Amino acid sequence: MSQRKDDRLWGGRFQNAPDKHFDAFQRSLAFDRRLLPYEIAVDRAWAKALQGVGIFTETEVRQTLAALDKIAARATTDKAWIDSSTAEDVHQFVENALVEELGPLGWKLHTGRSRNELVATDFRLFVIDASADIRKALLALLNAFLLQARANLKLPMAGMTHMQHAQPILLSHFLMAHAEAFSRDLSRLQNAAASADACPMGSGALAGCSFPVDRNAIAGDLGFSKITPNSLDAVSDRDFALDYLFALSGIATHLSRLAEDFVVFASQEFSYVILPDEYSTGSSLMPQKKNPDSWELLRGKTGRITATLFSLLTTMKGLPTSYQRDLQEDKEALFAAHDQMEEMLWVARGALSAAKFRADRLGAIVSNPALLATDAADYLVHRGVPFRQAHDLVGKLLREAENQGKSWTQLPLADIRKISPLFREDFLPGLSVENAISSKAVPGGTSESSVRAAIAQLEQKLNQMENQP
Ligand code: ARG
């Protein structure tokens, strides 16, 4: 077999060398090198598949697999090896290395296959592993929520809507609200991994493979549960990457909302939480400052995660059927979003675990009697008054208290009864933060028993998930 002179994978029909700027522009090794372990796994499966159709002899497969092992080992120990490579992408890098090891036999592995299906397969495998990594970090964050919810189970706080005092709730209920949101992200991650779980190998460049390779065996070898059903679709489908970025965007959005709550809670006006030194920074100018930078950065970094989703959606929009080089734009930003998300989750877990809540401040704010106005209306409802009317009567009560310049819970009963004789001696003593909270005993409510049940339910879900592979 004669040696090939051109080291490009496709140089045969080209007379001129590529323009330098364009050449640098089109290369992807700098980022797709991250796919190397997957590329090698796919190569192994493909070598066996080619033996199945008589292209490789048993000896050739053995030699090829041994060479792939060697390449994998060298790539992990000798980092400078890839740095110094002139290969265009990870696919050419491995092929060059194979040829270096095996001579012309190294070129044989590309029989019947295309980089279009290789990159789709490698990337799917990456997304499956990436989902598992993020799931792990997310489970750790959820466990931190459970610990904080248990530690602060009975602590009342002022629940707010529109950032205005609304009704008393338990801090544990507030924490579990965030935890519920993150637990939905677990399902989104699972969806992303499921949509990546189909093997494109055998799709060729676009039309399928003219050698009758056993596609199901290749898929099984690589840990896929099925094969992709259409070769044209398989080389250009990036829905799995979009699903993954959507899952990350969900997590980032939830992190940003959690972060916002913590930033507000750490303000002097609220002082609900003591920021841990380990997750805060100071000011170079103002000596008194301790800033919630961990939460602010979490809130801020959400932008680049959601931007990555929009970036890939935009790349995909209007692409013609089958592979287009635009698709090379799918990887770099997704890798970055994945790395960032992993960091974000570990920082969020640390900052949440180390946060100390101030029972004195939470208690002082929740003791505002205005928070019990709805419970006062409910009192009248229990005595047969239609709610709308009860709402109105309590409104009058509040106005009367305002006129007298005192809190409505300090009004003399006689004045209260002038508004409605249905208010009795048991009215004021029955109004308390504790009663307001314990009366919300429906599933999903803020009563201690409801929150305990919610914690137990999430614990059970996490235990099940932790035991899944
Ligand atoms: N580097 C390419 C990518 O990331 C690999 C496939 C290239 N295929 C091609 N026909 N140029 O998508």
Side-chain angles (χ1 to χ4, degrees):
M1 207 181 291
S2 72
Q3 285 297 312
R4 292 171 66 241
K5 286 222 177 67
D6 195 313
D7 84 331
R8 288 171 295 175
L9 293 174
W10 34 263
R13 67 155 293 184
F14 284 76
Q15 227 162 29
N16 298 329
D19 170 82
K20 263 215 229 63
H21 285 292
F22 168 63
D23 189 46
F25 185 69
Q26 60 104 24
R27 290 170 172 275
S28 56
L29 183 66
F31 52 89
D32 68 17
R33 55 189 289 173
R34 188 158 180 171
L35 296 175
L36 185 81
Y38 305 107
E39 176 79 4
I40 288 186
V42 177
D43 282 347
R44 298 179 64 88
W46 191 251
K48 289 181 235 165
L50 287 183
Q51 183 189 5
V53 292
I55 304 287
F56 269 0
T57 64
E58 206 189 316
T59 317
E60 284 174 331
V61 175
R62 206 172 347 97
Q63 287 172 333
T64 303
L65 295 183
L68 287 168
D69 281 348
K70 234 168 131 178
I71 293 165
R74 178 165 173 204
T76 44
T77 50
D78 178 5
K79 296 285 176 207
W81 186 29
I82 304 185
D83 292 343
S84 64
S85 166
T86 57
E88 172 181 316
D89 57 21
V90 67
H91 319 291
Q92 187 186 10
F93 175 80
V94 177
E95 185 171 309
N96 289 352
L98 269 179
V99 174
E100 215 173 285
E101 281 294 324
L102 303 171
L105 171 60
W107 288 323
K108 222 171 160 178
L109 187 62
H110 209 55
T111 310
R113 71 179 198 179
S114 153
R115 285 183 294 163
N116 300 354
E117 59 184 331
L118 274 175
V119 75
T121 309
D122 294 357
F123 200 28
R124 280 169 179 268
L125 290 169
F126 175 87
V127 164
I128 291 170
D129 280 355
S131 303
D133 290 346
I134 296 298
R135 185 177 79 155
K136 215 161 114 195
L138 198 53
L139 286 172
L141 175 68
L142 282 163
N143 277 313
F145 272 109
L146 289 172
L147 280 174
Q148 282 284 26
R150 281 209 180 285
N152 297 287
L153 186 69
K154 300 176 187 201
L155 220 55
M157 71 184 285
M160 294 188 290
T161 58
H162 312 269
M163 289 301 282
Q164 304 288 320
H165 288 174
Q167 293 185 305
I169 57 172
L170 291 177
L171 173 59
S172 52
H173 192 51
F174 167 88
L175 291 167
M176 289 302 291
H178 282 291
E180 288 301 335
F182 287 111
S183 83
R184 288 192 293 278
D185 293 323
L186 287 170
S187 323
R188 294 214 181 98
L189 281 173
Q190 229 163 13
N191 289 346
S195 87
D197 178 20
C199 184
M201 289 312 292
S203 299
L206 77 161
C209 182
S210 47
F211 303 93
V213 289
D214 184 344
R215 289 196 63 204
N216 286 304
I218 301 169
D221 238 15
L222 290 168
F224 289 107
S225 74
K226 54 185 177 302
I227 59 173
T228 52
N230 178 298
S231 60
L232 281 173
D233 179 47
V235 293
S236 65
D237 169 23
R238 294 294 182 273
D239 286 357
F240 61 95
L242 290 171
D243 286 343
Y244 182 58
L245 291 171
F246 182 61
L248 295 191
S249 300
I251 301 170
T253 303
H254 293 148
L255 281 174
S256 76
R257 296 185 65 180
L258 174 71
E260 170 66 7
D261 279 344
F262 268 87
V263 169
V264 170
F265 287 1
S267 67
Q268 278 72 24
E269 285 73 10
F270 274 78
S271 301
Y272 279 2
V273 70
I274 301 172
L275 291 174
D277 281 1
E278 298 85 334
Y279 291 92
S280 312
T281 63
S283 157
S284 58
L285 179 75
M286 299 164 282
Q288 86 284 10
K289 292 289 293 279
K290 180 150 107 177
N291 298 326
D293 295 38
S294 50
W295 295 115
E296 289 171 289
L297 283 166
L298 285 164
R299 193 176 53 189
K301 282 173 189 286
T302 300
R304 49 169 126 174
I305 306 290
T306 44
T308 309
L309 171 63
F310 281 97
S311 151
L312 185 55
L313 279 169
T314 310
T315 296
M316 298 306 295
K317 181 190 172 294
L319 280 189
T321 308
S322 106
Y323 183 83
Q324 322 296 328
R325 192 64 181 274
D326 313 46
L327 291 164
Q328 181 168 297
E329 285 299 305
D330 58 357
K331 287 172 282 296
E332 199 172 4
L334 184 142
F335 292 154
H338 167 77
D339 292 342
Q340 194 58 238
M341 179 51 66
E342 221 173 3
E343 295 300 318
M344 285 166 78
L345 283 167
W346 293 118
V347 169
R349 183 188 79 137
L352 174 68
S353 304
K356 295 223 166 15
F357 293 95
R358 285 186 54 181
D360 59 331
R361 284 292 303 169
L362 291 161
I365 302 297
V366 75
S367 63
N368 171 5
L371 286 144
L372 302 176
T374 318
D375 299 276
D378 288 350
Y379 174 93
L380 291 175
V381 169
H382 281 300
R383 275 142 199 88
V385 182
F387 180 77
R388 195 52 59 215
Q389 218 177 329
H391 184 287
D392 196 54
L393 289 168
V394 173
K396 291 199 166 89
L397 193 67
L398 294 174
R399 186 142 38 92
E400 177 60 23
E402 228 170 82
N403 290 342
Q404 293 193 24
K406 41 176 96 145
S407 155
W408 59 281
T409 50
Q410 280 155 4
L411 283 177
L413 186 61
D415 290 353
I416 295 179
R417 286 176 62 90
K418 266 186 225 151
I419 290 163
S420 166
L422 289 170
F423 287 119
R424 306 250 175 81
E425 290 72 24
D426 62 348
F427 170 55
L428 288 177
L431 282 181
S432 68
V433 168
E434 291 67 38
N435 289 350
I437 288 174
S438 65
S439 65
K440 311 294 184 306
V442 289
T446 195
S447 77
E448 190 187 318
S449 60
S450 304
V451 177
R452 273 188 199 282
I455 291 175
Q457 226 165 45
L458 185 60
E459 261 168 6
Q460 201 187 357
K461 181 175 171 179
L462 297 193
N463 281 339
Q464 272 169 8
M465 293 203 86
E466 267 159 10
N467 293 330
Q468 277 168 21

